[in-house]
Amino acid sequence: MQQDDDLILGKPYKKTQIQNDKFQKNSFLYFPYQGDFVDDFGWGCAWRCIQMILSQLQEYDQSLKDLINKYGWRKVLEDIYLKLNTITEIPEYLQDSKFAPEDNLNRWAEPFITQLVLFDQGVRSELFLVNLYPPSSNAPIEVFQKDILNFQQFVAYLLEHFDKNKGLVNIDDSTYAMIIYGIQKQGNKIILNIADPHINSNKTINYIGLYDVLLDENGDQLSNTITEQEKQYYSYVGSYQGIQFNKKPWMVCVNKGKI
């Protein structure tokens, strides 16, 4: 994994390009909290994941303000949903839900918003659940694919996806959103390569936010590569400690490439 030595967190528009050396085909820009002149501490992680996914597009230059100003509104997102599903009327389940960032005081986004943004920008995606529907989600369960994957099915999906596709994977447990940018098998254990935007950018460090998580065959986390010294730069221990898939509910949106 190549690191950009001049990455200084908390400075506007500072981004680092990450080369996935395990697959030799995946590159993207890493976006932590509080870039783009936006103080998104505590609410912007899903938007940062959207930025990372969109950074795989050529000539990408969209700030968090750009994204929220364009996609923060219910009417805009409803119009995209109609086009995505080739329907003419908003379903009742969407009318009754507060899924749009404007509906929430903290401008919260989720993988459902990721899918709508990607579609509007000409990118295919798949939106589904792992294990269960997170009960505190803003998006209604009806917007997700009907088939819910268990951990073993999710691992098989990721292995096939990254073998053929470089698209990033946005995961969200309805509290923390982050990116999976690769996966490896190690016997009966699984390694996930994570890009985590939950960084305290009042600190300065050459690189942070990129780590690996080791899971057992049931999806429980055995370890991660974050050092004791690096932990001080993470805003919430729950972001990295919470990456486990043994019956835990997750929302997932997968970048499948240009339409």
Side-chain angles (χ1 to χ4, degrees), residues 26-165:
N26 191 357
S27 63
F28 61 97
L29 299 177
Y30 168 67
F31 290 82
Y33 273 159
Q34 299 181 332
D36 314 275
F37 299 101
V38 176
D39 181 7
D40 59 324
F41 180 82
W43 60 267
C45 57
W47 291 107
R48 297 302 180 184
C49 290
I50 293 172
Q51 284 184 293
M52 287 189 244
I53 294 175
L54 290 177
S55 75
Q56 294 188 299
L57 305 179
Q58 293 182 347
E59 300 180 358
Y60 170 82
D61 188 21
Q62 298 178 67
S63 70
L64 185 58
K65 285 184 179 180
D66 293 336
L67 289 174
I68 293 176
N69 287 338
K70 185 172 183 180
Y71 297 110
W73 313 106
R74 170 178 282 270
K75 182 62 169 64
V76 171
L77 297 172
E78 287 180 339
D79 288 345
I80 297 172
Y81 189 77
L82 293 176
K83 295 176 184 177
L84 172 64
N85 293 278
T86 60
I87 55 178
T88 57
E89 294 184 1
I90 295 298
E92 185 175 344
Y93 59 77
L94 212 59
Q95 295 178 21
D96 295 339
S97 71
K98 294 184 177 182
F99 72 91
E102 73 165 313
D103 296 330
N104 303 287
L105 293 177
N106 58 8
R107 294 168 286 185
W108 201 263
E110 291 178 344
F112 176 48
I113 305 300
T114 303
Q115 182 183 53
L116 297 178
V117 172
L118 292 181
F119 179 78
D120 190 59
Q121 303 216 12
V123 179
R124 295 181 296 113
S125 66
E126 294 183 349
L127 181 70
F128 56 88
L129 300 171
V130 175
N131 292 324
L132 296 165
Y133 170 71
S136 58
S137 300
N138 294 324
I141 191 171
E142 290 86 353
V143 304
F144 299 91
Q145 295 178 10
K146 291 183 179 180
D147 293 335
I148 297 178
L149 303 186
N150 61 32
F151 173 64
Q152 289 75 23
Q153 292 169 328
F154 186 44
V155 167
Y157 178 98
L158 291 176
L159 288 169
E160 180 179 4
H161 169 74
F162 283 113
D163 185 55
K164 300 177 180 179
N165 192 307

Side-chain angles (χ1 to χ4, degrees), residues 161-183:
H161 169 74
F162 283 113
D163 185 55
K164 300 177 180 179
N165 192 307
K166 69 178 182 178
L168 302 180
V169 177
N170 176 200
I171 61 171
D172 191 324
D173 64 0
S174 78
T175 301
Y176 303 109
M178 58 203 74
I179 291 292
I180 299 174
Y181 68 92
I183 182 173

Side-chain angles (χ1 to χ4, degrees), residues 192-207:
L192 296 181
N193 311 128
I194 302 294
D196 187 338
H198 301 93
I199 300 302
N200 180 355
S201 60
N202 293 324
K203 305 290 185 179
T204 299
I205 193 169
N206 284 342
Y207 77 94

